[in-house]
Amino acid sequence: MAKHSLSTLEAFLIFLLVMMTAVTVALLSLLFITSGTIENHKDSGVPVTQSPPSTPGSTATQGSTLTHGSTDTQGPPVTTTPEPPLFQNFSGYHIGVGRADCTGQVADISLMGYSKTGQNARGILTRLYSRAFIMAEPDGSNRVAFVSIDIGMVSQRLRLEVLNRLQSKYGSLYRQDNVILSGTHTHSGPGGYFQYTVFVIASEGFSNRTFEYMVTGIVKSIEMAHKNMKPGKIFINKGNVEGVQINRSPSSYLWNPLSERARYSSNTDKEMIILKMVDLNGVDLGLISWFAIHPVSMNNTNHLVNSDNMGYASYLFEQEKNKGYLPGQGPYVAAFASSNLGDVSPNILGPHCVNTGDSCDNANSSCPIGGSSTCIAMGPGHDMFNSTQIIGEIIYQRAKAQTCKPALGYSFAAGTIDGFGSLNFTQGTTVGDPFWDTLRDQLLGKPSEEIKRCHKPKPILLHTGELTKPHPWHPDIVDVQMITVGSLAIIAIPGEFTTMSGRRLREAVQAEFATYGMQNMTAVISGLCNVYTHYITTFEEYQAQRYEAASTIYGPHTLSAYIQLFRALAKAIATDTVANLSRGPEPPYFKQLIASLIPNVVDRAPLGRNFGDVLQPAKPTYRVGEVAEVIFVGANPKNSAENQTHQTFLTVEKYEATSATWRIVHNDASWETRFYWHKGLLGHSNATIQWHIPGTAQPGIYRMRYFGHHRKQDFLKPAVILPFESTSSAFEVVTS
């Protein structure tokens, strides 16, 4: 048992800090009650093959609910938007793709993923996008929509609002049973879009401006895909990706039976599954790739909003296909979606003690000096930016080749080798600590004996499943969903499955399909879908009580419950009995959430200065490979999530002498640019724009522009948000 030198008062204050910054706390209930699914229509489609399909097959979609209780929600009035005209005399699918910005705030908001105090957004490296794909029969029936979103995870509130807005515009065309929303799981996106208390506290309050920005972007991407639908064909392919992953909890993996482990050559899933979409003329429309890897190449020292390694793979693929377009523009859409990534890290050099260089790949992920805080896993690059590029590049190249043919245990607070926790907790903890237990009991009350027994061997740090003020701390209604497109079954999971958990689920679903006559089905796990319920380990991994097990919030038999439910869904699809499944209760949509704890402050420029004035100009000349940098009088970037007059914070522009015009060559979605916001006192701030000049840059005259919004409030009047823009002096780029 670790001894504490802190005073009781100091420890009490630290515990309160943990409560305000914990990101992934979980519901403490094990008893899933299957209540069925919403209405569904049996459809027929075209099998997905590696060559153009020739005969129709079977496809269906369907969703189910896990619940402890019943709630009611009401949708908005429905005004149906007409569907685009569809051609029916062809063999294939109607396919639509769309992409829209869903970045939200890039300042004064917590980044979602690492549970690190003070890791707030302070600028932007890349924009975040929602990428939507719609597939339907030639006659428009049997429609499904899959949306991959550059966010940490999909919250239940986010999904409910998206579905409500789709219902308002399209009626029953896009529903709970045929729309999957999946988060890529970047740890460098904003929080603030949740409704359950634990996540609201972790995000330092609910941010309506970020929530609205995300919802609007997701809906817009679906609208674009709907509008762009055209006849086409879909191909599926598989292949292994080497050299980008390690299992970050290998000691837990070893708790799985030897006979089961012997069936696999690795303790991570290396297989990538790809859906490639083309029109009837063979023109590429887009792709969806599923691969198991945590987007944590950008570590917990990062303060720039970005989409991490999977987003970088999308960036590279879309730039390759959309030549001549700026990032985030162009018709081709490439989504690199999450899968069973629970115990999979991209930091392939493994965990080492940063103070000694020795390996700390042990059951506790702890170093002799410094404990867990000095045990960090590193990526292959010389810094986190370079590691992100290396991992994303490998994933992109492999996909490019393929398409050419609720209780938290103590170990939750410890974090992982990708991002350690803030306090003196270690992984592998199977006994409680009287110090923290006493503080918990005084603040929140004691956990019940029922919960303690149910979660053994997990020691209960926070009994969130028994906490209901001001709202339930975690969801008690959880969607499970599966859709099939030809021979591909997409399993939408509401959390992070470990490697072996994912393997067991896929095999169970495939076996169930085979039992009822659907042979050779390919099952793919799509992670972080529809609602977030943390991690799902195997029963054996649960006994080790490392981070993933401590965050398996429904107890040791969680995986068994999910397998049972998804087998039932597979059987219903295979036997054409989906319509017989009941709807189940609707999840709640809470009102009066905790407002953002970061106040809105009026922006102020220094005396004698205006917003956008240049404080540090560009140098007259830069060489390729150098960094051009300009510092401006800034304003809070979160204002731009509320007033979207400008669609970018920056541009890099090249002077074209032949036309005497400036041509935009980069924006804030470009990997080569970085936008840093430096917060001062009393509403003062600076903005730094950097351009890391790539080797492909053409010699010539360039400039950088800054676009922002400032908050102004006159006495006894409401605040207004006003746009401004500024331009640097021109500078020359030379090759040597």
Side-chain angles (χ1 to χ4, degrees):
M1 198 86 64
K3 296 183 179 179
H4 300 275
S5 58
L6 299 174
S7 69
T8 302
L9 177 59
E10 289 172 330
F12 177 78
L13 293 175
I14 291 174
F15 185 78
L16 287 179
L17 183 61
V18 174
M19 294 296 296
M20 297 301 296
T21 57
V23 172
T24 49
V25 195
L27 188 62
L28 286 179
S29 175
L30 170 65
L31 302 177
F32 286 105
I33 303 174
T34 307
S35 62
T37 174
I38 66 176
E39 301 90 342
N40 182 71
H41 306 284
K42 176 63 182 179
D43 305 313
S44 65
V46 176
V48 182
T49 61
Q50 293 186 16
S51 58
S54 57
T55 57
S58 176
T59 177
T61 67
Q62 179 272 315
S64 185
T65 304
L66 304 172
T67 179
H68 289 268
S70 177
T71 56
D72 293 317
T73 57
Q74 293 182 348
V78 176
T79 56
T80 302
T81 298
E83 294 185 54
L86 299 178
F87 299 95
Q88 298 186 21
N89 297 322
F90 70 96
S91 175
Y93 285 107
H94 277 286
I95 303 166
V97 301
R99 175 186 53 249
D101 181 12
C102 64
T103 305
Q105 284 179 230
V106 301
D108 272 358
I109 196 166
S110 297
L111 296 181
M112 192 68 189
Y114 280 115
S115 292
K116 184 180 179 182
T117 304
Q119 195 191 7
N120 293 335
R122 300 177 191 169
I124 186 170
L125 174 61
T126 63
R127 291 217 160 242
L128 309 180
Y129 292 101
S130 173
R131 296 174 170 90
F133 304 82
I134 299 175
M135 293 156 278
E137 290 292 332
D139 63 359
S141 65
N142 190 21
R143 183 177 304 239
V144 297
F146 179 85
V147 188
S148 179
I149 314 158
D150 289 332
I151 56 177
M153 61 283 292
V154 175
S155 76
Q156 193 171 73
R157 187 180 190 86
L158 198 67
R159 185 179 190 232
L160 289 173
E161 184 62 24
V162 168
L163 290 173
N164 282 341
R165 295 191 188 184
L166 291 175
Q167 182 187 30
S168 295
K169 185 162 187 176
Y170 298 107
S172 61
L173 194 61
Y174 299 107
R175 313 172 302 276
Q176 182 181 3
D177 64 321
N178 69 350
V179 175
I180 292 178
L181 305 182
S182 175
T184 63
H185 204 39
T186 175
H187 285 40
S188 296
Y193 56 95
F194 299 85
Q195 68 174 2
Y196 289 96
T197 301
V198 161
F199 300 116
V200 175
I201 292 174
S203 301
E204 300 181 12
F206 178 76
S207 171
N208 191 62
R209 63 169 62 87
T210 288
F211 178 77
E212 284 294 323
Y213 202 114
M214 288 181 174
V215 170
T216 300
I218 295 168
V219 172
K220 183 177 179 181
S221 69
I222 296 172
E223 291 173 346
M224 294 172 67
H226 176 89
K227 183 179 179 180
N228 292 336
M229 291 185 75
K230 61 177 63 176
K233 296 183 182 295
I234 301 174
F235 303 86
I236 187 172
N237 214 334
K238 309 174 188 177
N240 288 346
V241 183
E242 302 287 347
V244 296
Q245 328 152 291
I246 61 170
N247 191 307
R248 69 184 187 186
S249 288
S251 58
S252 292
Y253 183 87
L254 292 175
W255 281 68
N256 293 305
L258 175 61
S259 59
E260 184 177 31
R261 288 185 278 119
R263 294 161 49 200
Y264 304 99
S265 60
S266 172
N267 61 4
T268 62
D269 269 345
K270 298 180 181 296
E271 186 177 68
M272 175 187 288
I273 294 180
I274 293 173
L275 280 186
K276 175 183 177 180
M277 304 167 197
V278 301
D279 67 16
L280 293 182
N281 295 319
V283 176
D284 288 336
L285 301 176
L287 71 79
I288 310 172
S289 165
W290 288 273
F291 182 63
I293 191 170
H294 250 85
V296 291
S297 292
M298 298 294 292
N299 62 41
N300 64 9
T301 66
N302 170 59
H303 291 276
L304 298 180
V305 168
N306 69 87
S307 53
D308 213 282
N309 47 42
M310 296 294 263
Y312 187 65
S314 289
Y315 169 83
L316 292 176
F317 217 119
E318 290 178 347
Q319 286 295 96
E320 168 69 22
K321 294 292 187 178
N322 295 320
K323 292 189 182 298
Y325 288 91
L326 291 170
Q329 301 176 13
Y332 188 87
V333 180
F336 285 76
S338 59
S339 191
N340 54 317
L341 47 67
D343 53 359
V344 185
S345 170
N347 296 314
I348 58 177
L349 298 187
H352 290 81
C353 300
V354 294
N355 46 7
T356 66
D358 296 332
S359 173
C360 51
D361 190 6
N362 53 58
N364 302 117
S365 296
S366 183
C367 297
I369 301 174
S372 60
S373 65
T374 58
C375 179
I376 305 295
M378 300 296 181
H382 56 77
D383 61 21
M384 59 182 173
F385 297 95
N386 187 226
S387 291
T388 302
Q389 290 179 286
I390 292 172
I391 297 297
E393 171 83 21
I394 294 173
I395 294 171
Y396 152 70
Q397 290 290 355
R398 188 55 173 155
K400 183 179 178 181
Q402 285 304 113
T403 56
C404 291
K405 30 176 233 195
L408 286 182
Y410 277 77
S411 297
F412 156 76
T416 70
I417 60 173
D418 295 321
F420 58 86
S422 300
L423 297 177
N424 188 29
F425 294 102
T426 59
Q427 298 200 58
T429 300
T430 56
V431 293
D433 186 314
F435 177 82
W436 294 108
D437 288 352
T438 300
L439 284 177
R440 175 202 62 209
D441 295 348
Q442 293 298 318
L443 287 171
L444 303 172
K446 294 182 179 181
S448 68
E449 291 300 318
E450 177 187 0
I451 285 211
K452 290 181 181 179
R453 288 193 303 269
C454 189
H455 281 272
K456 282 185 178 181
K458 179 195 297 180
I460 304 301
L461 176 61
L462 295 172
H463 50 303
T464 56
E466 297 180 331
L467 303 176
T468 59
K469 301 296 183 180
H471 297 295
W473 284 44
H474 272 101
D476 55 6
I477 299 175
V478 178
D479 291 305
V480 295
Q481 184 180 16
M482 184 190 304
I483 65 174
T484 59
V485 181
S487 60
L488 179 70
I490 302 174
I491 307 169
I493 58 172
E496 305 177 51
F497 274 53
T498 62
T499 298
M500 194 62 84
S501 291
R503 287 168 173 170
R504 290 184 187 178
L505 177 60
R506 284 199 306 265
E507 289 183 358
V509 167
Q510 289 171 321
E512 195 73 12
F513 276 121
T515 298
Y516 294 94
M518 295 182 68
Q519 306 291 335
N520 302 317
M521 290 290 290
T522 295
V524 63
I525 288 176
S526 188
L528 291 303
C529 291
N530 302 331
V531 62
Y532 186 58
T533 62
H534 296 264
Y535 287 76
I536 299 90
T537 66
T538 66
F539 176 84
E540 294 83 0
E541 291 166 344
Y542 190 89
Q543 311 308 308
Q545 276 303 296
R546 282 178 59 84
Y547 175 82
E548 294 84 10
S551 303
T552 297
I553 61 177
Y554 296 109
H557 302 289
T558 301
L559 176 60
S560 296
Y562 276 119
I563 288 176
Q564 179 180 353
L565 288 166
F566 280 109
R567 287 181 63 182
L569 301 189
K571 178 181 178 181
I573 293 172
T575 59
D576 197 13
T577 57
V578 172
N580 297 338
L581 297 170
S582 63
R583 178 183 179 89
E586 293 288 338
Y589 192 88
F590 298 131
K591 299 179 179 180
Q592 298 178 336
L593 298 175
I594 299 172
S596 175
L597 303 180
I598 302 177
N600 294 319
V601 177
V602 173
D603 295 292
R604 291 182 172 86
L607 188 64
R609 296 277 195 175
N610 297 312
F611 294 106
D613 281 359
V614 175
L615 297 175
Q616 176 185 303
K619 296 190 300 184
T621 304
Y622 293 94
R623 289 180 169 83
V624 168
E626 293 184 331
V627 179
E629 179 178 281
V630 180
I631 300 178
F632 300 86
V633 175
N636 197 320
K638 75 178 180 182
N639 300 328
S640 297
E642 200 166 329
N643 181 336
Q644 299 178 37
T645 306
H646 306 304
Q647 301 303 311
T648 181
F649 288 105
L650 65 92
T651 57
V652 177
E653 301 176 0
K654 184 178 184 295
Y655 184 71
E656 301 292 352
T658 55
S659 59
T661 59
W662 291 91
R663 178 174 60 88
I664 298 174
V665 294
H666 296 292
N667 57 16
D668 65 7
S670 302
W671 183 262
E672 293 82 2
T673 62
R674 297 175 193 176
F675 175 81
Y676 294 92
W677 181 64
H678 310 281
K679 186 176 184 178
L681 299 175
L682 302 176
H684 294 276
S685 65
N686 296 337
T688 299
I689 294 177
Q690 291 182 349
W691 177 32
H692 293 245
I693 304 173
T696 56
Q698 297 296 313
I701 304 300
Y702 291 83
R703 69 182 186 183
M704 292 190 286
R705 302 188 69 196
Y706 168 35
F707 303 90
H709 297 84
H710 68 93
R711 180 179 293 272
K712 178 182 178 181
Q713 187 166 20
D714 295 327
F715 185 64
L716 297 179
K717 291 185 178 180
V720 294
I721 296 176
L722 303 173
F724 65 90
E725 56 187 77
S726 181
T727 305
S728 76
S729 57
F731 55 90
E732 185 178 9
V733 172
V734 298
T735 56
S736 61

